[in-house]
Amino acid sequence: MSKDADVIVIGAGIVGAACAHALAQAGQRVLVLDDHRGGATAAGMGHLVVMDDNPAELALSHHSLEQWRGWVPHMPADCAWSACGTLWLAANAPEMDAALEKQARLQAYGVAAEMVSASALQALEPVLRKDLTGALKVPGDGLVYAPNAAQWLLNQYPQAIQVRQVAAVDVEEPRVRLSTGEWLKADAVVLASGIYATQICPELPIRPKKGQLLITDRYPGTVHHQLVELGYVTSAHHAQGPSVAFNVQPRPTGQLLIGSSRQFDDTSVDLDPHMLARMLQRAQHYLPGIGDLNAIRCWTGLRAATPDSLPILGAHPQRPHLWLAVGHEGLGITTAPGSAQILAALMTGATPPLDPAPYSATRFAELS
């Protein structure tokens, strides 16, 4: 049986597209399979943000943002890149202390971050509530429209990357069975299909985290930075039950994208009016006038979360020729470039740009 590509990538979201792009750069002939069900790439906020919950997350997000900045001059306008930066909002003195600690961590890693006083914050964002204590500004963060960015990545090497709209239903390494019954063969297979990866690899320690988002009509100049409450990491990332946190983005269109919420193990695509109401009440707590704006659409999406919130990158320990790029939770868009570089380096014998050990599948007992 002759092979159909050097590498088959399952999933054409931002992570799968970045993996295909990195492998093509490394000289591989890549076939990307995607069934167009839609996943986190199309449903997410598109934020590109340095996160520092732990050293491995900081290393991967910082390295990835440097790659994004290298891509920006070459991306078409419809990728909607915006260098808006992030304001981490402090509502009280303890959160201001947390902002100072965050600033120290970021600066130690070479990430620009500056403290903003209460009065300076009001000058930057006059629509915020007036009693905030201050903020931490991270000017290097940005936004992108991820579905178009993923398509742009897939288009960069037309001689090396082929895309087929079809469902992959099984992998018997290094072969992939399609929903049509056809088998495809390659030297290696990359699983990068987000929450759907467990349909092919049920042993993966991935749980769905459902989120809801709302976008307003166009109100240019209302908000200038991505706004996030400093309690976001605690209330959104570490909470084990349903949670909401304040997160608002100014889209290049002038619209405001409002998040965020998390619900574990809910795989339905239905809106949850109760969670949506909680999310909007949280937003109104920081932006009192937001209730006067027109909302034009709200939707849901599923993040694929691992127990430690780090992605799984590298070889499947028990299945030869199967490679994993899954479990990015809410940072898939931010960390897609670095994830892809690590994976492509491991697959081709090159030197990874970061120590891959923290992202290895072997850190989980069920995969070791």
Side-chain angles (χ1 to χ4, degrees):
M1 181 179 180
S2 61
K3 68 181 183 182
D4 298 278
D6 296 326
V7 181
I8 294 173
V9 176
I10 301 174
I14 193 67
V15 173
C19 288
H21 180 267
L23 288 163
Q25 273 188 323
Q28 300 293 296
R29 189 166 56 92
V30 185
L31 173 59
V32 180
L33 307 177
D34 192 276
D35 59 8
H36 286 201
R37 271 184 290 184
T41 297
M45 297 187 78
H47 55 192
L48 304 177
V49 56
V50 178
M51 292 295 289
D52 60 331
D53 285 7
N54 55 67
E57 183 182 71
L58 176 54
L60 185 58
S61 60
H62 177 247
H63 176 78
S64 295
L65 253 72
E66 290 185 337
Q67 305 311 304
W68 273 110
R69 293 187 195 102
W71 288 346
V72 164
H74 310 287
M75 291 194 304
D78 67 4
C79 290
W81 159 260
S82 170
C84 62
T86 299
L87 285 172
W88 291 89
L89 306 175
N92 48 47
E95 289 192 356
M96 204 63 174
D97 291 341
L100 284 165
E101 294 172 2
K102 186 178 184 70
Q103 181 194 33
R105 283 194 300 274
L106 295 180
Q107 289 184 335
Y109 216 85
V111 179
E114 56 191 79
M115 296 302 298
V116 175
S117 68
S119 59
L121 178 59
Q122 284 301 312
L124 289 172
E125 299 290 356
V127 296
L128 281 168
R129 63 188 243 212
K130 307 303 180 189
D131 61 344
L132 292 174
T133 308
L136 176 67
K137 181 179 179 180
V138 184
D141 290 351
L143 309 173
V144 72
Y145 184 58
N148 287 355
Q151 188 60 53
W152 173 74
L153 287 168
L154 293 172
N155 292 342
Q156 293 310 292
Y157 292 95
Q159 303 303 317
I161 300 176
Q162 179 188 359
V163 181
R164 284 186 61 179
Q165 182 180 346
V166 65
V169 297
D170 195 9
V171 174
E172 292 182 3
E173 306 85 11
R175 299 191 305 158
V176 176
R177 183 165 63 88
L178 307 181
S179 56
T180 59
E182 180 185 3
W183 284 93
L184 301 177
K185 187 175 185 299
D187 294 331
V189 178
V190 174
L191 187 57
S193 50
I195 195 63
Y196 304 119
T198 54
Q199 295 178 358
I200 289 177
C201 279
E203 70 274 20
L204 293 175
I206 290 176
R207 296 174 68 188
K209 272 188 181 180
K210 180 178 178 177
Q212 304 187 83
L213 290 170
L214 179 147
I215 195 162
T216 71
D217 208 340
R218 298 175 185 237
Y219 301 96
T222 303
V223 170
H224 307 278
H225 304 79
Q226 175 172 232
L227 305 175
V228 191
E229 64 171 296
L230 266 163
Y232 176 86
V233 171
T234 301
S235 61
H237 283 194
H238 297 164
Q240 292 303 308
S243 66
V244 299
F246 172 64
N247 186 352
V248 164
Q249 293 177 351
R251 301 303 303 182
T253 55
Q255 297 166 285
L256 299 185
L257 183 54
I258 303 171
S260 63
S261 69
R262 281 167 170 78
Q263 293 165 275
F264 280 101
D265 301 325
D266 184 346
T267 57
S268 75
V269 296
D270 299 333
L271 286 167
D272 183 328
H274 174 69
M275 286 298 293
L276 187 61
R278 280 183 59 188
M279 188 181 82
L280 295 177
Q281 286 166 359
R282 192 68 182 168
Q284 195 163 25
H285 181 63
Y286 283 86
L287 289 176
I290 207 166
D292 296 328
L293 307 184
N294 291 325
I296 62 171
R297 191 166 77 91
C298 45
W299 65 94
T300 65
L302 298 176
R303 312 170 182 92
T306 62
D308 61 7
S309 299
L310 289 174
I312 303 172
L313 306 172
H316 192 302
Q318 301 158 1
R319 300 176 65 167
H321 310 292
L322 180 60
W323 297 79
L324 302 169
V326 295
H328 290 75
E329 218 246 282
L331 280 180
I333 297 168
T334 293
T335 61
S339 298
Q341 286 185 331
I342 290 172
L343 191 77
L346 293 172
M347 293 179 70
T348 61
T351 301
L354 303 171
D355 177 7
Y359 320 105
S360 170
T362 57
R363 70 186 192 274
F364 298 113
E366 55 268 55
L367 290 175
S368 61

